[in-house]
Amino acid sequence: MCIGPLALRAAPVAVALAMALPGAAQAHDQGSVRAGVTPSSTAPGATVEVSVTGCEGTTGSAGSGAFEQDAELTGEGGGSHALKGSARVREGLTGTYDVTVTCDGHPHQGAGTVAVEHHEPAPEAPSKAGGGGTSGLAAHAARDDDAAEAGPGTRHAVVGLVLAGVAAVAVAFRSVRRRRPE
C-alpha cells in the first residue's frame, strides 16, 4: 500500500476534525486563563489569595517562584466562575514574579503576576482613647526621649543662670531693706 494516496485521503478528515473541535483548542489558549493575586503587592512571608478565571474544571493549582508551594485551587469552574486558593510568599524575595496556572490538564504560563516588596512596619501612635488624655502626652514623651537622654543644653544653662541671678538680687535687696532702721 502506498502512503501518498492514504495521506491525501486522510488530510480532509484531519481538517474536518480540526474545524469540528474549535472549543478544545480555545479552552487551552494561553490568554483565556487569568490569575489575580490579592494583594497584588505583598511582603515576604505574607499569605496571598489567588483567584483564577477561564478554567473549565473545578480544581487546579497556581504556582510561582515567589510561592513556598503551589496554591491548590477549588471552585465551581465553568470558565466564568473563579477558582480560588491561597499561597504563602517565600522569605527573602523582592521583585515581580509570574504566576503559572495548571487547570484542565494544561499549564497556562504568565496567567498573572505577584509583586514582592520589603515593607518596613510603620510606627503607630498610641490611641486617643482612655487614660484621661494621657495618650497625647505619651506620644510627645516618646519623641522627647532622645532629648532627655542628651541632658540640658546651652539654652537651659543660660536660663538657669538668669534665674539664679534674679534670685540673688532679690535676696540682696530684701536683706538691705531689713537692716535699715526706720
Side-chain angles (χ1 to χ4, degrees):
M1 186 177 229
C2 288
I3 296 243
L6 184 59
L8 286 175
R9 288 184 194 144
V13 174
V15 170
L17 279 174
M19 292 180 80
L21 301 173
Q26 289 177 348
H28 304 298
D29 181 23
Q30 290 294 333
S32 66
V33 174
R34 292 283 172 217
V37 178
T38 305
S40 61
S41 176
T42 188
T47 300
V48 294
E49 298 297 320
V50 182
S51 178
V52 176
T53 57
C55 292
E56 294 297 322
T58 59
T59 62
S61 65
S64 174
F67 298 160
E68 288 181 354
Q69 62 188 72
D70 290 354
E72 297 299 321
L73 304 172
T74 58
E76 294 180 26
S80 63
H81 298 287
L83 300 178
K84 297 182 185 233
S86 62
R88 185 173 169 90
V89 177
R90 292 187 311 161
E91 294 286 342
L93 296 179
T94 57
T96 302
Y97 296 85
D98 285 338
V99 175
T100 299
V101 174
T102 302
C103 64
D104 307 327
H106 298 283
H108 303 275
Q109 295 179 347
T113 59
V114 59
V116 182
E117 299 174 355
H118 183 68
H119 296 282
E120 290 291 329
E124 294 182 19
S127 67
K128 300 284 185 191
T134 60
S135 64
L137 297 174
H140 291 294
R143 281 183 257 151
D144 293 338
D145 280 347
D146 293 334
E149 290 176 9
T154 305
R155 183 173 46 153
H156 294 106
V158 170
V159 169
L161 288 174
V162 168
L163 289 175
V166 169
V169 168
V171 168
F173 181 70
R174 187 165 177 104
S175 17
V176 168
R177 284 188 73 201
R178 285 192 178 203
R179 284 190 193 171
R180 282 191 202 163
E182 290 192 37

